[in-house]
Amino acid sequence: MSVPACPLCRAAGSRVRHAEEWVTIRRCPACSFLFTEDRAGDFRGGAIGREIAEFYAFLESYREARVAYLGERLRGLLARTRSGAEPSVLEIGYGGGALARAATALGCRYTGLEPLLGEAFHAEAAAPPPAARLLPLRFEEFETAERFDLVAMDNVLEHLADPVGTVRRALALLRPGGLLWAQVPNERNLVLKHRLLSLLKDRRITFPGHVNLFTARTLRRCFREAGAPQVEIGGTSASHPVLAHLLLTRPPGPLLAAGLGALRASRLDLLGGWAYWLDAYCPADGR
């Protein structure tokens, strides 16, 4: 396999940062971006494919909690826009439909793109709410003259071979006063982070299918390379109740629950750059 150029800055000469049987992760010497050598990230077959399917089935068991969590996030996102009474939302990567349900419950006009409907996501489980429009398309196949108040990429950008091109195209679909929001896993200190987390739960170095491994610095660089007029990078703590349950797969015991509560109150992981998820907020007009 030929060594790909850096997906962010196009520099050559990346070096292997981590390698194991199923994945090779490289680091760009120019911008420090971490990315996988295999840019397709397609693990739909074999044992890893079954592992992914089991994980998505597990997510479905937490659907109502995720809908409530995303409804809370969505209110905050829409407050950053200049939308009217019926905000328009485009989601790149509909997934199991949690954001769609949250959006329609808030009176939004929702459009979702999901090329893997029926594969990674069961059609009956991910059926859209009546007010939502779902299209089984990849983002690069989506053609529209419509412009949106919010374009959302919830844990999607890490899966796409061309992150800069995706952000550039998403920005072009915003109406004046609109907002692009992207959430990705935080891969700061990649190897150490996953070794520590593996003490709580068996896990791979990264989730199969993640071809871009962002830090706060490289997520900002991605948006800048795409021509974003302004980008704010924030984070979501692993102590958030919904996220903690997803990470642990069971309610935490009293000591761990107390620790998570203290982390949530102190925001130490966010202040130290150790957020579990990174959030990028990019307004259409740079304000």
Side-chain angles (χ1 to χ4, degrees), residues 50-75:
R50 289 191 294 274
E51 181 181 319
I52 294 172
E54 289 171 2
F55 174 76
Y56 284 128
F58 165 70
L59 278 185
E60 285 303 310
S61 69
Y62 277 86
R63 180 190 295 179
E64 294 309 314
R66 292 180 65 241
V67 170
Y69 163 71
L70 287 169
E72 170 192 320
R73 294 302 308 267
L74 191 55
R75 289 185 187 90

PDB file of all heavy atoms in Angstrom, residues 50-75:
ATOM      1  N   ARG A  50     -18.442  -7.628  12.782  1.00  0.00           N
ATOM      2  CA  ARG A  50     -19.413  -8.078  13.793  1.00  0.00           C
ATOM      3  C   ARG A  50     -19.299  -7.226  15.064  1.00  0.00           C
ATOM      4  O   ARG A  50     -20.308  -6.894  15.692  1.00  0.00           O
ATOM      5  CB  ARG A  50     -19.192  -9.563  14.105  1.00  0.00           C
ATOM      6  CG  ARG A  50     -19.604 -10.486  12.965  1.00  0.00           C
ATOM      7  CD  ARG A  50     -19.631 -11.937  13.415  1.00  0.00           C
ATOM      8  NE  ARG A  50     -18.302 -12.430  13.758  1.00  0.00           N
ATOM      9  CZ  ARG A  50     -17.448 -12.941  12.876  1.00  0.00           C
ATOM     10  NH1 ARG A  50     -17.770 -13.000  11.592  1.00  0.00           N
ATOM     11  NH2 ARG A  50     -16.261 -13.397  13.259  1.00  0.00           N
ATOM     12  N   GLU A  51     -18.070  -6.875  15.410  1.00  0.00           N
ATOM     13  CA  GLU A  51     -17.848  -6.035  16.579  1.00  0.00           C
ATOM     14  C   GLU A  51     -18.512  -4.662  16.397  1.00  0.00           C
ATOM     15  O   GLU A  51     -19.140  -4.133  17.317  1.00  0.00           O
ATOM     16  CB  GLU A  51     -16.343  -5.863  16.783  1.00  0.00           C
ATOM     17  CG  GLU A  51     -15.948  -5.035  17.977  1.00  0.00           C
ATOM     18  CD  GLU A  51     -14.441  -4.895  18.084  1.00  0.00           C
ATOM     19  OE1 GLU A  51     -13.732  -5.895  17.841  1.00  0.00           O
ATOM     20  OE2 GLU A  51     -13.962  -3.794  18.399  1.00  0.00           O
ATOM     21  N   ILE A  52     -18.382  -4.095  15.217  1.00  0.00           N
ATOM     22  CA  ILE A  52     -19.002  -2.801  14.932  1.00  0.00           C
ATOM     23  C   ILE A  52     -20.521  -2.921  15.009  1.00  0.00           C
ATOM     24  O   ILE A  52     -21.205  -2.065  15.590  1.00  0.00           O
ATOM     25  CB  ILE A  52     -18.568  -2.293  13.546  1.00  0.00           C
ATOM     26  CG1 ILE A  52     -17.068  -1.979  13.548  1.00  0.00           C
ATOM     27  CG2 ILE A  52     -19.361  -1.050  13.147  1.00  0.00           C
ATOM     28  CD1 ILE A  52     -16.502  -1.661  12.184  1.00  0.00           C
ATOM     29  N   ALA A  53     -21.074  -3.986  14.403  1.00  0.00           N
ATOM     30  CA  ALA A  53     -22.523  -4.180  14.425  1.00  0.00           C
ATOM     31  C   ALA A  53     -23.036  -4.313  15.855  1.00  0.00           C
ATOM     32  O   ALA A  53     -24.093  -3.767  16.203  1.00  0.00           O
ATOM     33  CB  ALA A  53     -22.885  -5.425  13.602  1.00  0.00           C
ATOM     34  N   GLU A  54     -22.297  -5.029  16.700  1.00  0.00           N
ATOM     35  CA  GLU A  54     -22.693  -5.168  18.103  1.00  0.00           C
ATOM     36  C   GLU A  54     -22.667  -3.823  18.823  1.00  0.00           C
ATOM     37  O   GLU A  54     -23.535  -3.528  19.645  1.00  0.00           O
ATOM     38  CB  GLU A  54     -21.764  -6.159  18.803  1.00  0.00           C
ATOM     39  CG  GLU A  54     -21.973  -7.609  18.366  1.00  0.00           C
ATOM     40  CD  GLU A  54     -20.900  -8.532  18.914  1.00  0.00           C
ATOM     41  OE1 GLU A  54     -20.025  -8.034  19.668  1.00  0.00           O
ATOM     42  OE2 GLU A  54     -20.928  -9.737  18.591  1.00  0.00           O
ATOM     43  N   PHE A  55     -21.685  -2.990  18.489  1.00  0.00           N
ATOM     44  CA  PHE A  55     -21.603  -1.678  19.130  1.00  0.00           C
ATOM     45  C   PHE A  55     -22.788  -0.804  18.738  1.00  0.00           C
ATOM     46  O   PHE A  55     -23.399  -0.154  19.592  1.00  0.00           O
ATOM     47  CB  PHE A  55     -20.297  -0.980  18.745  1.00  0.00           C
ATOM     48  CG  PHE A  55     -20.211   0.431  19.265  1.00  0.00           C
ATOM     49  CD1 PHE A  55     -19.940   0.665  20.606  1.00  0.00           C
ATOM     50  CD2 PHE A  55     -20.427   1.512  18.431  1.00  0.00           C
ATOM     51  CE1 PHE A  55     -19.876   1.964  21.098  1.00  0.00           C
ATOM     52  CE2 PHE A  55     -20.358   2.809  18.908  1.00  0.00           C
ATOM     53  CZ  PHE A  55     -20.082   3.041  20.247  1.00  0.00           C
ATOM     54  N   TYR A  56     -23.152  -0.794  17.464  1.00  0.00           N
ATOM     55  CA  TYR A  56     -24.294   0.011  17.035  1.00  0.00           C
ATOM     56  C   TYR A  56     -25.593  -0.508  17.650  1.00  0.00           C
ATOM     57  O   TYR A  56     -26.487   0.269  17.987  1.00  0.00           O
ATOM     58  CB  TYR A  56     -24.380   0.060  15.506  1.00  0.00           C
ATOM     59  CG  TYR A  56     -23.367   0.984  14.881  1.00  0.00           C
ATOM     60  CD1 TYR A  56     -22.526   0.548  13.863  1.00  0.00           C
ATOM     61  CD2 TYR A  56     -23.246   2.302  15.316  1.00  0.00           C
ATOM     62  CE1 TYR A  56     -21.592   1.404  13.297  1.00  0.00           C
ATOM     63  CE2 TYR A  56     -22.319   3.163  14.746  1.00  0.00           C
ATOM     64  CZ  TYR A  56     -21.495   2.702  13.747  1.00  0.00           C
ATOM     65  OH  TYR A  56     -20.570   3.552  13.182  1.00  0.00           O
ATOM     66  N   ALA A  57     -25.706  -1.833  17.788  1.00  0.00           N
ATOM     67  CA  ALA A  57     -26.889  -2.392  18.453  1.00  0.00           C
ATOM     68  C   ALA A  57     -26.933  -1.939  19.912  1.00  0.00           C
ATOM     69  O   ALA A  57     -28.006  -1.630  20.449  1.00  0.00           O
ATOM     70  CB  ALA A  57     -26.867  -3.913  18.353  1.00  0.00           C
ATOM     71  N   PHE A  58     -25.766  -1.882  20.548  1.00  0.00           N
ATOM     72  CA  PHE A  58     -25.694  -1.389  21.923  1.00  0.00           C
ATOM     73  C   PHE A  58     -26.137   0.069  22.000  1.00  0.00           C
ATOM     74  O   PHE A  58     -26.880   0.461  22.903  1.00  0.00           O
ATOM     75  CB  PHE A  58     -24.264  -1.550  22.443  1.00  0.00           C
ATOM     76  CG  PHE A  58     -23.979  -0.764  23.690  1.00  0.00           C
ATOM     77  CD1 PHE A  58     -24.540  -1.126  24.900  1.00  0.00           C
ATOM     78  CD2 PHE A  58     -23.157   0.341  23.647  1.00  0.00           C
ATOM     79  CE1 PHE A  58     -24.281  -0.400  26.053  1.00  0.00           C
ATOM     80  CE2 PHE A  58     -22.887   1.076  24.788  1.00  0.00           C
ATOM     81  CZ  PHE A  58     -23.448   0.707  25.988  1.00  0.00           C
ATOM     82  N   LEU A  59     -25.693   0.896  21.056  1.00  0.00           N
ATOM     83  CA  LEU A  59     -26.106   2.297  21.037  1.00  0.00           C
ATOM     84  C   LEU A  59     -27.628   2.425  20.963  1.00  0.00           C
ATOM     85  O   LEU A  59     -28.218   3.307  21.590  1.00  0.00           O
ATOM     86  CB  LEU A  59     -25.487   3.025  19.848  1.00  0.00           C
ATOM     87  CG  LEU A  59     -24.054   3.534  19.971  1.00  0.00           C
ATOM     88  CD1 LEU A  59     -23.688   4.332  18.731  1.00  0.00           C
ATOM     89  CD2 LEU A  59     -23.857   4.370  21.218  1.00  0.00           C
ATOM     90  N   GLU A  60     -28.247   1.549  20.182  1.00  0.00           N
ATOM     91  CA  GLU A  60     -29.697   1.612  20.036  1.00  0.00           C
ATOM     92  C   GLU A  60     -30.412   1.390  21.367  1.00  0.00           C
ATOM     93  O   GLU A  60     -31.490   1.915  21.600  1.00  0.00           O
ATOM     94  CB  GLU A  60     -30.178   0.587  19.007  1.00  0.00           C
ATOM     95  CG  GLU A  60     -29.882   0.980  17.570  1.00  0.00           C
ATOM     96  CD  GLU A  60     -30.478   2.321  17.225  1.00  0.00           C
ATOM     97  OE1 GLU A  60     -31.677   2.547  17.477  1.00  0.00           O
ATOM     98  OE2 GLU A  60     -29.738   3.187  16.712  1.00  0.00           O
ATOM     99  N   SER A  61     -29.802   0.616  22.267  1.00  0.00           N
ATOM    100  CA  SER A  61     -30.428   0.367  23.564  1.00  0.00           C
ATOM    101  C   SER A  61     -30.439   1.615  24.432  1.00  0.00           C
ATOM    102  O   SER A  61     -31.169   1.678  25.419  1.00  0.00           O
ATOM    103  CB  SER A  61     -29.706  -0.776  24.285  1.00  0.00           C
ATOM    104  OG  SER A  61     -28.397  -0.382  24.675  1.00  0.00           O
ATOM    105  N   TYR A  62     -29.626   2.611  24.077  1.00  0.00           N
ATOM    106  CA  TYR A  62     -29.577   3.876  24.806  1.00  0.00           C
ATOM    107  C   TYR A  62     -30.213   5.017  24.010  1.00  0.00           C
ATOM    108  O   TYR A  62     -29.935   6.173  24.265  1.00  0.00           O
ATOM    109  CB  TYR A  62     -28.124   4.237  25.131  1.00  0.00           C
ATOM    110  CG  TYR A  62     -27.590   3.562  26.366  1.00  0.00           C
ATOM    111  CD1 TYR A  62     -27.041   2.284  26.284  1.00  0.00           C
ATOM    112  CD2 TYR A  62     -27.644   4.179  27.603  1.00  0.00           C
ATOM    113  CE1 TYR A  62     -26.550   1.653  27.419  1.00  0.00           C
ATOM    114  CE2 TYR A  62     -27.166   3.560  28.742  1.00  0.00           C
ATOM    115  CZ  TYR A  62     -26.614   2.298  28.642  1.00  0.00           C
ATOM    116  OH  TYR A  62     -26.132   1.668  29.767  1.00  0.00           O
ATOM    117  N   ARG A  63     -31.079   4.662  23.066  1.00  0.00           N
ATOM    118  CA  ARG A  63     -31.589   5.682  22.151  1.00  0.00           C
ATOM    119  C   ARG A  63     -32.294   6.821  22.876  1.00  0.00           C
ATOM    120  O   ARG A  63     -32.029   7.995  22.603  1.00  0.00           O
ATOM    121  CB  ARG A  63     -32.552   5.069  21.129  1.00  0.00           C
ATOM    122  CG  ARG A  63     -33.098   6.132  20.159  1.00  0.00           C
ATOM    123  CD  ARG A  63     -34.217   5.605  19.299  1.00  0.00           C
ATOM    124  NE  ARG A  63     -33.731   4.564  18.410  1.00  0.00           N
ATOM    125  CZ  ARG A  63     -34.533   3.926  17.562  1.00  0.00           C
ATOM    126  NH1 ARG A  63     -35.818   4.200  17.530  1.00  0.00           N
ATOM    127  NH2 ARG A  63     -34.056   2.997  16.759  1.00  0.00           N
ATOM    128  N   GLU A  64     -33.182   6.509  23.800  1.00  0.00           N
ATOM    129  CA  GLU A  64     -33.949   7.569  24.451  1.00  0.00           C
ATOM    130  C   GLU A  64     -33.042   8.507  25.247  1.00  0.00           C
ATOM    131  O   GLU A  64     -33.239   9.723  25.249  1.00  0.00           O
ATOM    132  CB  GLU A  64     -35.033   6.963  25.354  1.00  0.00           C
ATOM    133  CG  GLU A  64     -36.108   6.214  24.584  1.00  0.00           C
ATOM    134  CD  GLU A  64     -36.695   7.029  23.436  1.00  0.00           C
ATOM    135  OE1 GLU A  64     -37.013   8.218  23.665  1.00  0.00           O
ATOM    136  OE2 GLU A  64     -36.822   6.501  22.327  1.00  0.00           O
ATOM    137  N   ALA A  65     -32.033   7.949  25.920  1.00  0.00           N
ATOM    138  CA  ALA A  65     -31.091   8.796  26.651  1.00  0.00           C
ATOM    139  C   ALA A  65     -30.304   9.675  25.687  1.00  0.00           C
ATOM    140  O   ALA A  65     -30.046  10.851  25.967  1.00  0.00           O
ATOM    141  CB  ALA A  65     -30.144   7.931  27.476  1.00  0.00           C
ATOM    142  N   ARG A  66     -29.931   9.122  24.542  1.00  0.00           N
ATOM    143  CA  ARG A  66     -29.184   9.901  23.557  1.00  0.00           C
ATOM    144  C   ARG A  66     -30.057  10.978  22.925  1.00  0.00           C
ATOM    145  O   ARG A  66     -29.579  12.078  22.618  1.00  0.00           O
ATOM    146  CB  ARG A  66     -28.602   8.976  22.487  1.00  0.00           C
ATOM    147  CG  ARG A  66     -27.510   8.057  23.035  1.00  0.00           C
ATOM    148  CD  ARG A  66     -26.939   7.145  21.956  1.00  0.00           C
ATOM    149  NE  ARG A  66     -26.259   7.919  20.927  1.00  0.00           N
ATOM    150  CZ  ARG A  66     -26.609   7.934  19.662  1.00  0.00           C
ATOM    151  NH1 ARG A  66     -27.673   7.231  19.244  1.00  0.00           N
ATOM    152  NH2 ARG A  66     -25.934   8.625  18.779  1.00  0.00           N
ATOM    153  N   VAL A  67     -31.330  10.695  22.703  1.00  0.00           N
ATOM    154  CA  VAL A  67     -32.243  11.709  22.171  1.00  0.00           C
ATOM    155  C   VAL A  67     -32.348  12.886  23.138  1.00  0.00           C
ATOM    156  O   VAL A  67     -32.283  14.055  22.740  1.00  0.00           O
ATOM    157  CB  VAL A  67     -33.631  11.108  21.892  1.00  0.00           C
ATOM    158  CG1 VAL A  67     -34.645  12.211  21.562  1.00  0.00           C
ATOM    159  CG2 VAL A  67     -33.566  10.118  20.727  1.00  0.00           C
ATOM    160  N   ALA A  68     -32.471  12.578  24.426  1.00  0.00           N
ATOM    161  CA  ALA A  68     -32.545  13.653  25.426  1.00  0.00           C
ATOM    162  C   ALA A  68     -31.246  14.451  25.470  1.00  0.00           C
ATOM    163  O   ALA A  68     -31.255  15.688  25.542  1.00  0.00           O
ATOM    164  CB  ALA A  68     -32.853  13.059  26.793  1.00  0.00           C
ATOM    165  N   TYR A  69     -30.119  13.743  25.424  1.00  0.00           N
ATOM    166  CA  TYR A  69     -28.814  14.409  25.445  1.00  0.00           C
ATOM    167  C   TYR A  69     -28.642  15.308  24.228  1.00  0.00           C
ATOM    168  O   TYR A  69     -28.218  16.467  24.330  1.00  0.00           O
ATOM    169  CB  TYR A  69     -27.713  13.344  25.489  1.00  0.00           C
ATOM    170  CG  TYR A  69     -26.345  13.843  25.107  1.00  0.00           C
ATOM    171  CD1 TYR A  69     -25.637  14.696  25.942  1.00  0.00           C
ATOM    172  CD2 TYR A  69     -25.760  13.448  23.908  1.00  0.00           C
ATOM    173  CE1 TYR A  69     -24.371  15.154  25.593  1.00  0.00           C
ATOM    174  CE2 TYR A  69     -24.503  13.897  23.550  1.00  0.00           C
ATOM    175  CZ  TYR A  69     -23.809  14.747  24.394  1.00  0.00           C
ATOM    176  OH  TYR A  69     -22.565  15.199  24.032  1.00  0.00           O
ATOM    177  N   LEU A  70     -29.002  14.795  23.037  1.00  0.00           N
ATOM    178  CA  LEU A  70     -28.832  15.576  21.826  1.00  0.00           C
ATOM    179  C   LEU A  70     -29.844  16.712  21.738  1.00  0.00           C
ATOM    180  O   LEU A  70     -29.566  17.756  21.138  1.00  0.00           O
ATOM    181  CB  LEU A  70     -28.930  14.668  20.596  1.00  0.00           C
ATOM    182  CG  LEU A  70     -27.700  13.769  20.400  1.00  0.00           C
ATOM    183  CD1 LEU A  70     -27.966  12.718  19.332  1.00  0.00           C
ATOM    184  CD2 LEU A  70     -26.488  14.601  20.030  1.00  0.00           C
ATOM    185  N   GLY A  71     -31.014  16.532  22.348  1.00  0.00           N
ATOM    186  CA  GLY A  71     -31.959  17.647  22.416  1.00  0.00           C
ATOM    187  C   GLY A  71     -31.378  18.813  23.202  1.00  0.00           C
ATOM    188  O   GLY A  71     -31.513  19.984  22.814  1.00  0.00           O
ATOM    189  N   GLU A  72     -30.693  18.485  24.301  1.00  0.00           N
ATOM    190  CA  GLU A  72     -30.015  19.508  25.104  1.00  0.00           C
ATOM    191  C   GLU A  72     -28.927  20.200  24.278  1.00  0.00           C
ATOM    192  O   GLU A  72     -28.800  21.427  24.279  1.00  0.00           O
ATOM    193  CB  GLU A  72     -29.418  18.827  26.340  1.00  0.00           C
ATOM    194  CG  GLU A  72     -28.481  19.656  27.170  1.00  0.00           C
ATOM    195  CD  GLU A  72     -27.740  18.795  28.188  1.00  0.00           C
ATOM    196  OE1 GLU A  72     -28.369  17.884  28.776  1.00  0.00           O
ATOM    197  OE2 GLU A  72     -26.543  19.021  28.383  1.00  0.00           O
ATOM    198  N   ARG A  73     -28.131  19.400  23.546  1.00  0.00           N
ATOM    199  CA  ARG A  73     -27.084  19.981  22.706  1.00  0.00           C
ATOM    200  C   ARG A  73     -27.675  20.848  21.600  1.00  0.00           C
ATOM    201  O   ARG A  73     -27.164  21.924  21.274  1.00  0.00           O
ATOM    202  CB  ARG A  73     -26.235  18.867  22.074  1.00  0.00           C
ATOM    203  CG  ARG A  73     -25.406  18.044  23.017  1.00  0.00           C
ATOM    204  CD  ARG A  73     -24.438  18.882  23.832  1.00  0.00           C
ATOM    205  NE  ARG A  73     -23.616  19.768  23.047  1.00  0.00           N
ATOM    206  CZ  ARG A  73     -22.387  19.472  22.589  1.00  0.00           C
ATOM    207  NH1 ARG A  73     -21.858  18.289  22.840  1.00  0.00           N
ATOM    208  NH2 ARG A  73     -21.680  20.343  21.915  1.00  0.00           N
ATOM    209  N   LEU A  74     -28.761  20.358  21.013  1.00  0.00           N
ATOM    210  CA  LEU A  74     -29.358  21.053  19.874  1.00  0.00           C
ATOM    211  C   LEU A  74     -29.900  22.427  20.269  1.00  0.00           C
ATOM    212  O   LEU A  74     -29.775  23.399  19.511  1.00  0.00           O
ATOM    213  CB  LEU A  74     -30.462  20.183  19.278  1.00  0.00           C
ATOM    214  CG  LEU A  74     -31.031  20.606  17.933  1.00  0.00           C
ATOM    215  CD1 LEU A  74     -29.933  20.758  16.887  1.00  0.00           C
ATOM    216  CD2 LEU A  74     -32.061  19.579  17.453  1.00  0.00           C
ATOM    217  N   ARG A  75     -30.479  22.521  21.442  1.00  0.00           N
ATOM    218  CA  ARG A  75     -30.961  23.835  21.910  1.00  0.00           C
ATOM    219  C   ARG A  75     -29.804  24.837  21.977  1.00  0.00           C
ATOM    220  O   ARG A  75     -29.932  25.990  21.564  1.00  0.00           O
ATOM    221  CB  ARG A  75     -31.625  23.704  23.274  1.00  0.00           C
ATOM    222  CG  ARG A  75     -32.973  23.002  23.256  1.00  0.00           C
ATOM    223  CD  ARG A  75     -33.612  23.017  24.644  1.00  0.00           C
ATOM    224  NE  ARG A  75     -34.813  22.213  24.662  1.00  0.00           N
ATOM    225  CZ  ARG A  75     -34.838  20.908  24.966  1.00  0.00           C
ATOM    226  NH1 ARG A  75     -33.712  20.296  25.301  1.00  0.00           N
ATOM    227  NH2 ARG A  75     -35.963  20.231  24.957  1.00  0.00           N
TER     228      ARG A  75
END
